[in-house]
Amino acid sequence: MTDQTKYVYDLSEGDVTLKPLLGGKGANLAEMAKIGVPVPDAFTVTTQACVAAMNNGGDWPEGLADQIDAGLARLEERTGKKLGSAENPLLVSVRSGAVFSMPGMMDTILNLGISDDTVGSVAQLAGNERFAWDCYRRFIQMYGEVVEGISPHVFEDALTAMKVDRGVDQDTDLTAEDLKALTDQFKELANRELGGEWTSDPKEQLLRAVNAVFASWLNPRAEVYRKSQGISRDLGTAVNVQMMVFGNRGETSATGVCFSRNPSTGAKELYGEFLTNAQGEDVVAGIRTPRPLEEMEGVLPEAFHELLATMDKLELHNKDMQDMEFTIEDRKLYMLQTRNGKRTAAATVKTAVDMVDEGLITTDEALLRINPSDLDALLHPGIDPNHTATSIVKGLPASPGAAVGALSFNADDAAERGGAGEQVILVRYETTPDDIHGVMKAQGVLTAHGGMTSHAAVVARGMGITCVAGAPGIKIDTINETVTIGDTVYGKDDVVTLNGSTGEVFAGALPLVPPAINEDFEKVGEWADQARRLGVRANAENFEDASKARELGAEGIGLARTEHMFMAADRLPAVRKMILAENEEQRAAALAEILPMQQADFEGIFTAMKGLPVTVRLLDPPLHEFLPNLVDQSVLVKELELTGADAAKLEAEKATLAQVKKLHEQNPMLGTRGCRLAMLYPSIPEMQARAIIRAALAVLEREGETVGVEIMIPLVAFESELKAQRDIVVAAVEDEFEKAGKKLDYLVGTMIEIPRAALTADQIANQADFFSFGTNDLTQTGIGISRDDAEAGFLGAYVETEVIEKNPFESLDADGVGQLVAIGVEKGRATKPDLKTGVCGEHGGDPASIEFFNKVGLDYVSCSPFRVPIARLAAARAALQA
Ligand code: PEP
Ligand code: MG
């Protein structure tokens, strides 16, 4: 029965459509072979086999071992070589290959098949004895560590002892004889570590190696990486078993990595690195610093030109920038891997735009290729160009942007301090994928070794984290946590600035500036605007933010939080006076003070947004945010009583204390907020309505044009509340019109941010010209979790331990809170088919949530100004994917 499941595919049986089964690497290898690119022959064990083993406590599904055996036999047949044969040995690599690329996160075994029996003919075929013994000792080391779990120290110590004994510095200084002796030692050590259980049968080793790659799918660094990239654990990894080709057979052999375009800038130019007489791992692990690809023309000209042609062919075929690994064995080029290259946000945008210009892809394809959060990185700061400073060292510009932070010397420390909100720069000799949790929490990464394509660089670039790699001559002391750069010693408390775009490192914190948004960025925005259905507005409270939002493509303001206009220290007293007023007379005086401030702010926003709609939300001040703290106020009164110095002040503070006590609430977020305060004190919404209309008329007068005025009532739960508030607003507005002798169009609508409002939206809609979903409060009240307390507490733990997938305050809980939105839209439109609906909670800038809002038919989303470009693109992608 099980023999119906096919777990092993020959190279010629696959192609790119089988990616879910063969993994990215396996499918791309097959595809390359299909289009005539030189690829070493191989077979692939499917992801399905890995998943079956994973679900079965590690036990292989029936038939898998036999199918691998048969696959190997066919590979032997095709290559004319045989695993373990003394005459014509086949050597293979065993590599992981998941559906989504996870660079360096899983295990690899090279040179499998080398043994006491085969090492002699490997030496003979290669004409190089040293090479053969080097392969063999590397194999024992790699296989021992990866498959058998032997500590690296066992081998490293022996290697170091050998070098000391021979009086040499470098591995490459060891002779064939030395390496042969070392191989014997390694075998003995490995056998001892395994209590005599070391196997030297290549077939047995192959099966165990496949199993080890399966198991590496679940190793901690892979888990961390998957989580950060949202890759499902259920996918499993494929395993590629491929004939080895050798880049380390002397100076006519080489290995390298290249991109079809520059992955940092997106420019169409030569980009890559190579090393002669080396194996692939030497390049990607960053152990030897590789040479720029340009130099290969002088060393291996024929292979170089074939490589250029192959790069073009692969890019054209895949219609995307390719990231390739190649090996040259005795002047013959082999491609070992191609995949769509990870790239910076800037390069993502540039390549997408260029490829549209080149006719390679359509604008819609370009939009689908740019992840909205990539745009975020483009909005990140760089170093102020007007600031001159001399760098203390210059390494490779591995991942662009600028980063300022205190030094951290290990990943755990960086994860801890970075997680606690400190800005840190992780400094490592070379980063390994085990450092990933630290990299993720750091502002930037600085390494002493490694090239542009080392893991540190690839991972940081993918995550948009600034990285300077291979900084020459820096000396890191991880024990004492210091780094010596030039003559200066820097410690944990010292701050540096990295320029990931130039590779420069500076002492101290340099001033940063926001990046300029270029023409390509603008073009993507224009294409997105043509493709999207959802409108995009911004949340802003002043002229500057509104102007920025408009510059970034906002089509209006979806939320101006009027209470935010009072956050400044010089304005807070006026609001306090208004709330704490003991009678209407006092309140009227406070409101008279506030009205001109509000009007001036509104004029600023309206000027920035003229011609577009602006939703002004009436006051929604959670009282605890705006009132003096009860305890502090009590202490203040006590102090004044004790000193007895200022009787008048004492009386005033006592009166305030009495009011604070009266207004004190146990749950202020569920208390006298929003329209509830306005219901108690109608003079507040009245004043605000007047200020809005006066501002709109003043801007009309001054600019000849004003905004579409939308007045929004917050925290409504009952139709009767909205009716009462609407009446107050309309009366004030009409009175202003009459006084001014002028009119303009305006709307009165409401926020839907209480479940009751969503559920009774058909009634609420009777009083509303529009709805705007306040998904912050709707999440708080819909799930019943405090938006102020939960994230640092249990909610963080829930996300960490995957009780829930995502923080519902960041990304909408579509299953639960989303239903309230959907019901609200449906019921509201049942009453008023043309009811305008939008969202202004934080979810308005979150791509996944935007997809949901598009689906339920909202008219627009509103988000913070810097997220406007992201929202425009996300809305376009939602429309294209729908
Ligand atoms: C909301 O609740 O989603 C909202 C936009 O209002 P605020 O965040 O000001 O409570
Ligand atoms: Mg709210």
Side-chain angles (χ1 to χ4, degrees), residues 559 561 563 617 620 673 751 753 773-778 787 840-842:
L559 175 64
R561 290 175 163 104
E563 68 283 358
R617 181 179 73 185
D620 179 12
R673 290 178 56 194
M751 296 196 64
E753 50 185 343
F773 288 88
T775 46
N776 302 331
D777 277 310
L778 201 55
R787 46 191 280 203
C840 61
E842 287 313 299

